[in-house]
Amino acid sequence: MRKKQMRRLASALALTMAAGLFTGCGSPAPKESESASAETEKTEAGESQEAGKTEDSSAAAKDTLIIATANEAPNMTTNLHNATAGEYLNLMTHDRLFYSSEDLTPKPSLCESYEIVSDTEWLFHLRKGVKFHNGQEMKAEDVKASLELCKESPQVSQYGQSTGTIEVVDDYTVKITTDGPQSGLLYDLCHHGNAILPAELIANGHDFNKEPIGTGPYKLVEWKKGESIEFVAFEDYWNGEAPIKHVIWKVIPEGSSRTMALETGEVDLVVDVETTDLTRLMEADGIEVFNEAGTTHQWMMVNNEVAPFNNPDFRKAIASAIDKEAVIQVALQGTGSVSDSMLPGCFKGVTDTGAPSYDLDKAKEYMEASGLNPADCGFAIICSDDMKLRMGQVIQSCLKENLGIDTTLESMDLATYLDVTATGDYQAAIGNYTASSLLAYSQGVYHSMSVNGSNKTRLNLPEIDALIEKVQTTLDPEENVKAVTELSDALNEICPQAPLFVRNNVRAYKKGLKGFNIDASGTTYYHRMSWE
């Protein structure tokens, strides 16, 4: 869409209220069988492999599920990424000690039960007879090695900070001694970075990207880079073999192509639904659409280490100049809700106090206070998919019209985007983060330990780190909420980036697919699905 058209559209849409109102974190999630199974914060076969290649996928419908996704995972490992697209795959092949239940609270998975001995000492009793894909039984040594691998991996190390000292008590018991009280320990153990891998393979330098060996419900068959990823059900899965024996992920970057693939029967389920096609899909025969509030917080992140973004008033100026309602309408067709706070408002204790909102007068005041000339403040915005590009177009129009700031939009594939934003080799980018707990979110997005990982703004302030750690160590629920509010207010005042909205989770799939599930954090358990 050309810039002039975009300007007119952004102005018109500023008067339109977003259709999707975010009301909370809870939404229906998969219910594991009587013995709980795996999950966490977010990531991602035939009678033969030919099953996914037949012209009529319904011929293989009884044992094959074909999923369309916009973005290819950066890799298959559990510890070398913190990307949603990667977690989708991790959930296929791996389990953790705990999974995140439908209300986003941790529940035992590979851990059968646990004891809190004191504020800092925990005992975890493992399930017996759980097998890895290579036939080896999972034992305590594997848990110890896997949790320590998480600690050592920069991309996910924030989820290993809480585990302290890990000891093997016996083959089926692990003791964790934390460094002080850790309110987020069980949430961290839900994360894919703490997935359990064979200790022997870790020690031998096994290539888990080429051959992911876990205890999960599916095994990797083949990865055709840029095209498809195929999985087959693991017959010895501890929680029962999956009803759908083959799952094929197809990488289809173009949104309308994903829609057409679902309509023509080429695929059975679309993860990244093209929102401009949402009404069309809702009216289509034979297609079900899921559209409910989630926890994904979307923003324009900016590199706080480089000018002009190292100027807090400039950051507040651009945050105040963006018409977020227009962004939601153009990019999402209304399937989201405006967010001004630096933290997702669905979590208890989060406030909008001090956060810049869409206010042109304030935007100009902040710009003047920054002492900068808008003509000298142009920058590039990286967009890694079609939806982000639409968001970028509205932002581009708003900043030019409201502040006189020129921006350019730079399209980039997901893997490259993740690399350049993690290393700080960028100015601004459209991004998001999803977490099942406020602590996990704040550690991943704003703590200095996550710089060069998921802290893309590269915020590095001791006072913010201290407030996050206060949330981490405050065990009393009421006092924890107060600590969250203190953190929220401090981040709003600093304004490290420009929050935009909280996204709905939107999926579309064929009628006849039973057991479809998704929780508020976007997690789906494909091994719980079956065909009628």
Side-chain angles (χ1 to χ4, degrees), residues 440-485:
Y441 183 95
S442 56
Q443 286 178 322
V445 178
Y446 296 119
H447 199 287
S448 63
M449 68 179 175
S450 299
V451 171
N452 293 325
S454 53
N455 179 350
K456 310 289 190 179
T457 67
R458 307 185 72 78
L459 185 69
N460 189 351
L461 294 177
E463 58 267 36
I464 294 298
D465 287 355
L467 289 173
I468 294 172
E469 288 155 14
K470 183 177 180 180
V471 173
Q472 182 178 23
T473 57
T474 302
L475 301 183
D476 179 81
E478 290 186 7
E479 292 302 314
N480 188 271
V481 169
K482 292 178 183 178
V484 169
T485 299

mmCIF file of all heavy atoms in Angstrom, residues 440-485:
data_model
loop_
_atom_site.group_PDB
_atom_site.id
_atom_site.type_symbol
_atom_site.label_atom_id
_atom_site.label_comp_id
_atom_site.label_asym_id
_atom_site.label_seq_id
_atom_site.Cartn_x
_atom_site.Cartn_y
_atom_site.Cartn_z
ATOM 1 N N ALA A 440 8.434 -14.285 34.074
ATOM 2 C CA ALA A 440 9.117 -14.770 32.870
ATOM 3 C C ALA A 440 9.165 -13.679 31.804
ATOM 4 O O ALA A 440 10.182 -13.497 31.125
ATOM 5 C CB ALA A 440 8.413 -16.014 32.330
ATOM 6 N N TYR A 441 8.064 -12.952 31.674
ATOM 7 C CA TYR A 441 8.016 -11.867 30.690
ATOM 8 C C TYR A 441 9.056 -10.796 31.015
ATOM 9 O O TYR A 441 9.846 -10.386 30.148
ATOM 10 C CB TYR A 441 6.616 -11.263 30.645
ATOM 11 C CG TYR A 441 6.472 -10.174 29.607
ATOM 12 C CD1 TYR A 441 5.975 -10.452 28.344
ATOM 13 C CD2 TYR A 441 6.846 -8.859 29.895
ATOM 14 C CE1 TYR A 441 5.864 -9.454 27.377
ATOM 15 C CE2 TYR A 441 6.742 -7.861 28.946
ATOM 16 C CZ TYR A 441 6.249 -8.157 27.695
ATOM 17 O OH TYR A 441 6.153 -7.174 26.751
ATOM 18 N N SER A 442 9.046 -10.306 32.240
ATOM 19 C CA SER A 442 9.931 -9.194 32.597
ATOM 20 C C SER A 442 11.398 -9.601 32.563
ATOM 21 O O SER A 442 12.261 -8.814 32.164
ATOM 22 C CB SER A 442 9.553 -8.626 33.971
ATOM 23 O OG SER A 442 9.571 -9.625 34.969
ATOM 24 N N GLN A 443 11.699 -10.840 32.960
ATOM 25 C CA GLN A 443 13.081 -11.319 32.864
ATOM 26 C C GLN A 443 13.530 -11.403 31.411
ATOM 27 O O GLN A 443 14.657 -11.020 31.067
ATOM 28 C CB GLN A 443 13.214 -12.698 33.516
ATOM 29 C CG GLN A 443 13.174 -12.681 35.028
ATOM 30 C CD GLN A 443 13.259 -14.089 35.609
ATOM 31 O OE1 GLN A 443 12.692 -15.045 35.065
ATOM 32 N NE2 GLN A 443 13.947 -14.225 36.714
ATOM 33 N N GLY A 444 12.651 -11.903 30.556
ATOM 34 C CA GLY A 444 13.022 -12.087 29.163
ATOM 35 C C GLY A 444 13.132 -10.797 28.382
ATOM 36 O O GLY A 444 13.994 -10.657 27.513
ATOM 37 N N VAL A 445 12.288 -9.818 28.704
ATOM 38 C CA VAL A 445 12.209 -8.603 27.890
ATOM 39 C C VAL A 445 13.046 -7.452 28.448
ATOM 40 O O VAL A 445 13.591 -6.657 27.678
ATOM 41 C CB VAL A 445 10.736 -8.165 27.732
ATOM 42 C CG1 VAL A 445 10.620 -6.867 26.940
ATOM 43 C CG2 VAL A 445 9.933 -9.262 27.040
ATOM 44 N N TYR A 446 13.189 -7.369 29.776
ATOM 45 C CA TYR A 446 13.794 -6.165 30.355
ATOM 46 C C TYR A 446 15.002 -6.397 31.260
ATOM 47 O O TYR A 446 15.683 -5.432 31.613
ATOM 48 C CB TYR A 446 12.734 -5.376 31.128
ATOM 49 C CG TYR A 446 11.617 -4.854 30.254
ATOM 50 C CD1 TYR A 446 10.297 -5.250 30.466
ATOM 51 C CD2 TYR A 446 11.884 -3.973 29.211
ATOM 52 C CE1 TYR A 446 9.265 -4.765 29.673
ATOM 53 C CE2 TYR A 446 10.860 -3.489 28.406
ATOM 54 C CZ TYR A 446 9.552 -3.893 28.638
ATOM 55 O OH TYR A 446 8.539 -3.420 27.834
ATOM 56 N N HIS A 447 15.292 -7.621 31.677
ATOM 57 C CA HIS A 447 16.440 -7.837 32.577
ATOM 58 C C HIS A 447 17.741 -7.825 31.772
ATOM 59 O O HIS A 447 17.802 -8.337 30.654
ATOM 60 C CB HIS A 447 16.287 -9.167 33.318
ATOM 61 C CG HIS A 447 17.136 -9.260 34.550
ATOM 62 N ND1 HIS A 447 18.506 -9.420 34.504
ATOM 63 C CD2 HIS A 447 16.816 -9.228 35.880
ATOM 64 C CE1 HIS A 447 18.991 -9.483 35.733
ATOM 65 N NE2 HIS A 447 17.989 -9.356 36.584
ATOM 66 N N SER A 448 18.774 -7.265 32.363
ATOM 67 C CA SER A 448 20.056 -7.154 31.652
ATOM 68 C C SER A 448 20.654 -8.516 31.316
ATOM 69 O O SER A 448 21.432 -8.630 30.363
ATOM 70 C CB SER A 448 21.054 -6.339 32.485
ATOM 71 O OG SER A 448 21.351 -6.994 33.709
ATOM 72 N N MET A 449 20.298 -9.559 32.080
ATOM 73 C CA MET A 449 20.853 -10.884 31.781
ATOM 74 C C MET A 449 20.371 -11.401 30.426
ATOM 75 O O MET A 449 20.953 -12.320 29.859
ATOM 76 C CB MET A 449 20.470 -11.888 32.875
ATOM 77 C CG MET A 449 19.005 -12.239 32.925
ATOM 78 S SD MET A 449 18.646 -13.443 34.236
ATOM 79 C CE MET A 449 16.848 -13.521 34.144
ATOM 80 N N SER A 450 19.290 -10.801 29.888
ATOM 81 C CA SER A 450 18.750 -11.250 28.607
ATOM 82 C C SER A 450 19.221 -10.403 27.431
ATOM 83 O O SER A 450 18.769 -10.613 26.301
ATOM 84 C CB SER A 450 17.213 -11.254 28.668
ATOM 85 O OG SER A 450 16.759 -12.152 29.666
ATOM 86 N N VAL A 451 20.120 -9.437 27.688
ATOM 87 C CA VAL A 451 20.753 -8.714 26.584
ATOM 88 C C VAL A 451 21.550 -9.723 25.755
ATOM 89 O O VAL A 451 22.174 -10.632 26.301
ATOM 90 C CB VAL A 451 21.669 -7.597 27.121
ATOM 91 C CG1 VAL A 451 22.497 -6.991 25.994
ATOM 92 C CG2 VAL A 451 20.843 -6.507 27.802
ATOM 93 N N ASN A 452 21.501 -9.581 24.443
ATOM 94 C CA ASN A 452 22.054 -10.547 23.477
ATOM 95 C C ASN A 452 21.199 -11.797 23.370
ATOM 96 O O ASN A 452 21.593 -12.780 22.741
ATOM 97 C CB ASN A 452 23.501 -10.945 23.808
ATOM 98 C CG ASN A 452 24.460 -9.785 23.654
ATOM 99 O OD1 ASN A 452 24.287 -8.951 22.768
ATOM 100 N ND2 ASN A 452 25.463 -9.721 24.515
ATOM 101 N N GLY A 453 20.024 -11.735 23.992
ATOM 102 C CA GLY A 453 19.043 -12.805 23.869
ATOM 103 C C GLY A 453 17.702 -12.186 23.537
ATOM 104 O O GLY A 453 17.532 -11.584 22.483
ATOM 105 N N SER A 454 16.756 -12.297 24.469
ATOM 106 C CA SER A 454 15.402 -11.799 24.200
ATOM 107 C C SER A 454 15.179 -10.356 24.648
ATOM 108 O O SER A 454 14.118 -9.791 24.362
ATOM 109 C CB SER A 454 14.374 -12.718 24.871
ATOM 110 O OG SER A 454 14.658 -12.883 26.249
ATOM 111 N N ASN A 455 16.142 -9.740 25.333
ATOM 112 C CA ASN A 455 16.048 -8.318 25.684
ATOM 113 C C ASN A 455 16.523 -7.512 24.488
ATOM 114 O O ASN A 455 17.679 -7.101 24.389
ATOM 115 C CB ASN A 455 16.898 -8.013 26.919
ATOM 116 C CG ASN A 455 16.858 -6.544 27.326
ATOM 117 O OD1 ASN A 455 16.351 -5.694 26.599
ATOM 118 N ND2 ASN A 455 17.412 -6.244 28.487
ATOM 119 N N LYS A 456 15.604 -7.283 23.549
ATOM 120 C CA LYS A 456 15.966 -6.650 22.281
ATOM 121 C C LYS A 456 16.203 -5.146 22.420
ATOM 122 O O LYS A 456 16.895 -4.553 21.595
ATOM 123 C CB LYS A 456 14.864 -6.884 21.246
ATOM 124 C CG LYS A 456 14.404 -8.325 21.105
ATOM 125 C CD LYS A 456 15.430 -9.205 20.451
ATOM 126 C CE LYS A 456 14.827 -10.558 20.113
ATOM 127 N NZ LYS A 456 15.761 -11.464 19.449
ATOM 128 N N THR A 457 15.590 -4.506 23.432
ATOM 129 C CA THR A 457 15.831 -3.072 23.624
ATOM 130 C C THR A 457 17.224 -2.828 24.199
ATOM 131 O O THR A 457 17.699 -1.703 24.203
ATOM 132 C CB THR A 457 14.809 -2.446 24.583
ATOM 133 O OG1 THR A 457 15.004 -2.976 25.899
ATOM 134 C CG2 THR A 457 13.386 -2.716 24.116
ATOM 135 N N ARG A 458 17.832 -3.898 24.732
ATOM 136 C CA ARG A 458 19.156 -3.857 25.352
ATOM 137 C C ARG A 458 19.155 -2.952 26.595
ATOM 138 O O ARG A 458 20.167 -2.362 26.975
ATOM 139 C CB ARG A 458 20.226 -3.426 24.347
ATOM 140 C CG ARG A 458 20.199 -4.284 23.077
ATOM 141 C CD ARG A 458 21.305 -3.967 22.113
ATOM 142 N NE ARG A 458 22.605 -4.435 22.583
ATOM 143 C CZ ARG A 458 23.020 -5.693 22.528
ATOM 144 N NH1 ARG A 458 22.227 -6.646 22.045
ATOM 145 N NH2 ARG A 458 24.225 -6.018 22.965
ATOM 146 N N LEU A 459 17.980 -2.876 27.234
ATOM 147 C CA LEU A 459 17.865 -2.132 28.489
ATOM 148 C C LEU A 459 18.781 -2.767 29.526
ATOM 149 O O LEU A 459 18.770 -3.978 29.726
ATOM 150 C CB LEU A 459 16.415 -2.161 28.977
ATOM 151 C CG LEU A 459 16.099 -1.339 30.225
ATOM 152 C CD1 LEU A 459 16.205 0.155 29.916
ATOM 153 C CD2 LEU A 459 14.710 -1.680 30.742
ATOM 154 N N ASN A 460 19.579 -1.936 30.184
ATOM 155 C CA ASN A 460 20.562 -2.448 31.139
ATOM 156 C C ASN A 460 20.648 -1.472 32.312
ATOM 157 O O ASN A 460 21.582 -0.692 32.426
ATOM 158 C CB ASN A 460 21.921 -2.606 30.449
ATOM 159 C CG ASN A 460 22.933 -3.330 31.319
ATOM 160 O OD1 ASN A 460 22.695 -3.584 32.497
ATOM 161 N ND2 ASN A 460 24.082 -3.666 30.747
ATOM 162 N N LEU A 461 19.622 -1.536 33.169
ATOM 163 C CA LEU A 461 19.539 -0.623 34.303
ATOM 164 C C LEU A 461 19.483 -1.417 35.605
ATOM 165 O O LEU A 461 18.564 -2.215 35.810
ATOM 166 C CB LEU A 461 18.291 0.255 34.186
ATOM 167 C CG LEU A 461 18.258 1.256 33.025
ATOM 168 C CD1 LEU A 461 16.932 2.001 33.011
ATOM 169 C CD2 LEU A 461 19.427 2.227 33.104
ATOM 170 N N PRO A 462 20.449 -1.219 36.497
ATOM 171 C CA PRO A 462 20.462 -1.951 37.772
ATOM 172 C C PRO A 462 19.167 -1.805 38.563
ATOM 173 O O PRO A 462 18.729 -2.756 39.219
ATOM 174 C CB PRO A 462 21.644 -1.335 38.520
ATOM 175 C CG PRO A 462 22.545 -0.818 37.447
ATOM 176 C CD PRO A 462 21.631 -0.346 36.355
ATOM 177 N N GLU A 463 18.537 -0.623 38.519
ATOM 178 C CA GLU A 463 17.316 -0.426 39.292
ATOM 179 C C GLU A 463 16.163 -1.266 38.751
ATOM 180 O O GLU A 463 15.326 -1.757 39.521
ATOM 181 C CB GLU A 463 16.925 1.058 39.329
ATOM 182 C CG GLU A 463 16.708 1.706 37.977
ATOM 183 C CD GLU A 463 17.945 2.391 37.415
ATOM 184 O OE1 GLU A 463 19.059 1.868 37.623
ATOM 185 O OE2 GLU A 463 17.773 3.455 36.769
ATOM 186 N N ILE A 464 16.120 -1.477 37.435
ATOM 187 C CA ILE A 464 15.085 -2.334 36.854
ATOM 188 C C ILE A 464 15.386 -3.793 37.169
ATOM 189 O O ILE A 464 14.487 -4.563 37.541
ATOM 190 C CB ILE A 464 14.973 -2.113 35.335
ATOM 191 C CG1 ILE A 464 14.471 -0.698 35.044
ATOM 192 C CG2 ILE A 464 14.057 -3.149 34.701
ATOM 193 C CD1 ILE A 464 13.090 -0.394 35.589
ATOM 194 N N ASP A 465 16.639 -4.193 37.049
ATOM 195 C CA ASP A 465 17.027 -5.562 37.419
ATOM 196 C C ASP A 465 16.618 -5.856 38.864
ATOM 197 O O ASP A 465 16.082 -6.931 39.167
ATOM 198 C CB ASP A 465 18.538 -5.754 37.274
ATOM 199 C CG ASP A 465 18.996 -5.840 35.827
ATOM 200 O OD1 ASP A 465 18.119 -5.849 34.930
ATOM 201 O OD2 ASP A 465 20.211 -5.906 35.599
ATOM 202 N N ALA A 466 16.858 -4.886 39.747
ATOM 203 C CA ALA A 466 16.552 -5.082 41.170
ATOM 204 C C ALA A 466 15.046 -5.246 41.393
ATOM 205 O O ALA A 466 14.616 -6.080 42.206
ATOM 206 C CB ALA A 466 17.083 -3.903 41.983
ATOM 207 N N LEU A 467 14.232 -4.490 40.662
ATOM 208 C CA LEU A 467 12.776 -4.608 40.809
ATOM 209 C C LEU A 467 12.269 -5.948 40.272
ATOM 210 O O LEU A 467 11.355 -6.543 40.846
ATOM 211 C CB LEU A 467 12.087 -3.444 40.094
ATOM 212 C CG LEU A 467 12.244 -2.070 40.756
ATOM 213 C CD1 LEU A 467 11.669 -0.981 39.858
ATOM 214 C CD2 LEU A 467 11.566 -2.054 42.126
ATOM 215 N N ILE A 468 12.859 -6.413 39.176
ATOM 216 C CA ILE A 468 12.489 -7.735 38.646
ATOM 217 C C ILE A 468 12.864 -8.825 39.643
ATOM 218 O O ILE A 468 12.093 -9.765 39.899
ATOM 219 C CB ILE A 468 13.168 -7.980 37.286
ATOM 220 C CG1 ILE A 468 12.618 -7.014 36.230
ATOM 221 C CG2 ILE A 468 12.948 -9.430 36.826
ATOM 222 C CD1 ILE A 468 13.357 -7.043 34.912
ATOM 223 N N GLU A 469 14.042 -8.687 40.242
ATOM 224 C CA GLU A 469 14.490 -9.681 41.226
ATOM 225 C C GLU A 469 13.634 -9.628 42.492
ATOM 226 O O GLU A 469 13.453 -10.649 43.166
ATOM 227 C CB GLU A 469 15.967 -9.443 41.525
ATOM 228 C CG GLU A 469 16.859 -9.870 40.358
ATOM 229 C CD GLU A 469 18.205 -9.160 40.312
ATOM 230 O OE1 GLU A 469 18.568 -8.529 41.335
ATOM 231 O OE2 GLU A 469 18.866 -9.221 39.261
ATOM 232 N N LYS A 470 13.086 -8.468 42.790
ATOM 233 C CA LYS A 470 12.169 -8.360 43.926
ATOM 234 C C LYS A 470 10.900 -9.163 43.648
ATOM 235 O O LYS A 470 10.387 -9.864 44.536
ATOM 236 C CB LYS A 470 11.831 -6.893 44.188
ATOM 237 C CG LYS A 470 10.932 -6.664 45.399
ATOM 238 C CD LYS A 470 10.713 -5.170 45.635
ATOM 239 C CE LYS A 470 9.808 -4.931 46.838
ATOM 240 N NZ LYS A 470 9.592 -3.474 47.074
ATOM 241 N N VAL A 471 10.379 -9.080 42.423
ATOM 242 C CA VAL A 471 9.229 -9.901 42.035
ATOM 243 C C VAL A 471 9.584 -11.381 42.146
ATOM 244 O O VAL A 471 8.793 -12.203 42.627
ATOM 245 C CB VAL A 471 8.776 -9.562 40.595
ATOM 246 C CG1 VAL A 471 7.693 -10.523 40.131
ATOM 247 C CG2 VAL A 471 8.278 -8.125 40.513
ATOM 248 N N GLN A 472 10.799 -11.712 41.747
ATOM 249 C CA GLN A 472 11.247 -13.102 41.749
ATOM 250 C C GLN A 472 11.333 -13.690 43.151
ATOM 251 O O GLN A 472 10.990 -14.861 43.364
ATOM 252 C CB GLN A 472 12.617 -13.187 41.072
ATOM 253 C CG GLN A 472 13.183 -14.593 40.956
ATOM 254 C CD GLN A 472 14.516 -14.595 40.237
ATOM 255 O OE1 GLN A 472 15.217 -13.580 40.190
ATOM 256 N NE2 GLN A 472 14.874 -15.723 39.657
ATOM 257 N N THR A 473 11.743 -12.899 44.110
ATOM 258 C CA THR A 473 11.990 -13.425 45.455
ATOM 259 C C THR A 473 10.847 -13.175 46.437
ATOM 260 O O THR A 473 10.913 -13.629 47.585
ATOM 261 C CB THR A 473 13.279 -12.807 46.037
ATOM 262 O OG1 THR A 473 13.161 -11.378 46.054
ATOM 263 C CG2 THR A 473 14.484 -13.185 45.202
ATOM 264 N N THR A 474 9.807 -12.481 46.013
ATOM 265 C CA THR A 474 8.670 -12.203 46.893
ATOM 266 C C THR A 474 7.635 -13.312 46.747
ATOM 267 O O THR A 474 6.954 -13.405 45.723
ATOM 268 C CB THR A 474 8.040 -10.837 46.559
ATOM 269 O OG1 THR A 474 9.038 -9.808 46.674
ATOM 270 C CG2 THR A 474 6.894 -10.530 47.505
ATOM 271 N N LEU A 475 7.496 -14.149 47.767
ATOM 272 C CA LEU A 475 6.629 -15.322 47.693
ATOM 273 C C LEU A 475 5.200 -15.037 48.130
ATOM 274 O O LEU A 475 4.261 -15.674 47.647
ATOM 275 C CB LEU A 475 7.206 -16.456 48.549
ATOM 276 C CG LEU A 475 8.626 -16.934 48.177
ATOM 277 C CD1 LEU A 475 9.019 -18.107 49.059
ATOM 278 C CD2 LEU A 475 8.709 -17.320 46.710
ATOM 279 N N ASP A 476 5.008 -14.082 49.034
ATOM 280 C CA ASP A 476 3.659 -13.759 49.474
ATOM 281 C C ASP A 476 2.863 -13.168 48.305
ATOM 282 O O ASP A 476 3.306 -12.178 47.691
ATOM 283 C CB ASP A 476 3.704 -12.743 50.617
ATOM 284 C CG ASP A 476 2.316 -12.353 51.096
ATOM 285 O OD1 ASP A 476 1.724 -13.109 51.875
ATOM 286 O OD2 ASP A 476 1.820 -11.289 50.659
ATOM 287 N N PRO A 477 1.704 -13.734 47.962
ATOM 288 C CA PRO A 477 0.955 -13.294 46.773
ATOM 289 C C PRO A 477 0.610 -11.812 46.767
ATOM 290 O O PRO A 477 0.773 -11.132 45.745
ATOM 291 C CB PRO A 477 -0.301 -14.167 46.805
ATOM 292 C CG PRO A 477 0.104 -15.391 47.551
ATOM 293 C CD PRO A 477 1.072 -14.912 48.585
ATOM 294 N N GLU A 478 0.127 -11.286 47.886
ATOM 295 C CA GLU A 478 -0.257 -9.874 47.923
ATOM 296 C C GLU A 478 0.959 -8.959 47.777
ATOM 297 O O GLU A 478 0.909 -7.953 47.060
ATOM 298 C CB GLU A 478 -0.995 -9.562 49.228
ATOM 299 C CG GLU A 478 -2.385 -10.199 49.313
ATOM 300 C CD GLU A 478 -3.149 -9.753 50.545
ATOM 301 O OE1 GLU A 478 -2.645 -8.859 51.259
ATOM 302 O OE2 GLU A 478 -4.237 -10.308 50.795
ATOM 303 N N GLU A 479 2.040 -9.315 48.448
ATOM 304 C CA GLU A 479 3.254 -8.517 48.345
ATOM 305 C C GLU A 479 3.860 -8.630 46.949
ATOM 306 O O GLU A 479 4.461 -7.676 46.434
ATOM 307 C CB GLU A 479 4.272 -8.957 49.401
ATOM 308 C CG GLU A 479 3.855 -8.645 50.827
ATOM 309 C CD GLU A 479 3.602 -7.156 51.041
ATOM 310 O OE1 GLU A 479 4.443 -6.340 50.586
ATOM 311 O OE2 GLU A 479 2.574 -6.804 51.648
ATOM 312 N N ASN A 480 3.696 -9.788 46.304
ATOM 313 C CA ASN A 480 4.203 -9.983 44.951
ATOM 314 C C ASN A 480 3.487 -9.048 43.973
ATOM 315 O O ASN A 480 4.114 -8.451 43.092
ATOM 316 C CB ASN A 480 4.039 -11.437 44.532
ATOM 317 C CG ASN A 480 4.728 -11.736 43.214
ATOM 318 O OD1 ASN A 480 4.145 -11.598 42.143
ATOM 319 N ND2 ASN A 480 5.986 -12.159 43.298
ATOM 320 N N VAL A 481 2.165 -8.914 44.137
ATOM 321 C CA VAL A 481 1.401 -8.012 43.269
ATOM 322 C C VAL A 481 1.897 -6.574 43.448
ATOM 323 O O VAL A 481 2.039 -5.819 42.471
ATOM 324 C CB VAL A 481 -0.110 -8.114 43.566
ATOM 325 C CG1 VAL A 481 -0.878 -6.994 42.859
ATOM 326 C CG2 VAL A 481 -0.643 -9.471 43.124
ATOM 327 N N LYS A 482 2.188 -6.179 44.675
ATOM 328 C CA LYS A 482 2.714 -4.837 44.927
ATOM 329 C C LYS A 482 4.071 -4.642 44.250
ATOM 330 O O LYS A 482 4.360 -3.573 43.695
ATOM 331 C CB LYS A 482 2.844 -4.593 46.431
ATOM 332 C CG LYS A 482 1.512 -4.504 47.171
ATOM 333 C CD LYS A 482 1.736 -4.306 48.666
ATOM 334 C CE LYS A 482 0.408 -4.288 49.425
ATOM 335 N NZ LYS A 482 0.619 -4.150 50.887
ATOM 336 N N ALA A 483 4.892 -5.693 44.289
ATOM 337 C CA ALA A 483 6.207 -5.620 43.642
ATOM 338 C C ALA A 483 6.051 -5.490 42.124
ATOM 339 O O ALA A 483 6.822 -4.773 41.473
ATOM 340 C CB ALA A 483 7.032 -6.854 43.985
ATOM 341 N N VAL A 484 5.057 -6.183 41.562
ATOM 342 C CA VAL A 484 4.788 -6.075 40.127
ATOM 343 C C VAL A 484 4.379 -4.647 39.770
ATOM 344 O O VAL A 484 4.846 -4.084 38.767
ATOM 345 C CB VAL A 484 3.680 -7.068 39.701
ATOM 346 C CG1 VAL A 484 3.215 -6.773 38.275
ATOM 347 C CG2 VAL A 484 4.188 -8.500 39.794
ATOM 348 N N THR A 485 3.524 -4.041 40.583
ATOM 349 C CA THR A 485 3.082 -2.667 40.329
ATOM 350 C C THR A 485 4.258 -1.693 40.367
ATOM 351 O O THR A 485 4.368 -0.794 39.517
ATOM 352 C CB THR A 485 2.017 -2.242 41.356
ATOM 353 O OG1 THR A 485 0.881 -3.100 41.232
ATOM 354 C CG2 THR A 485 1.587 -0.797 41.139
#
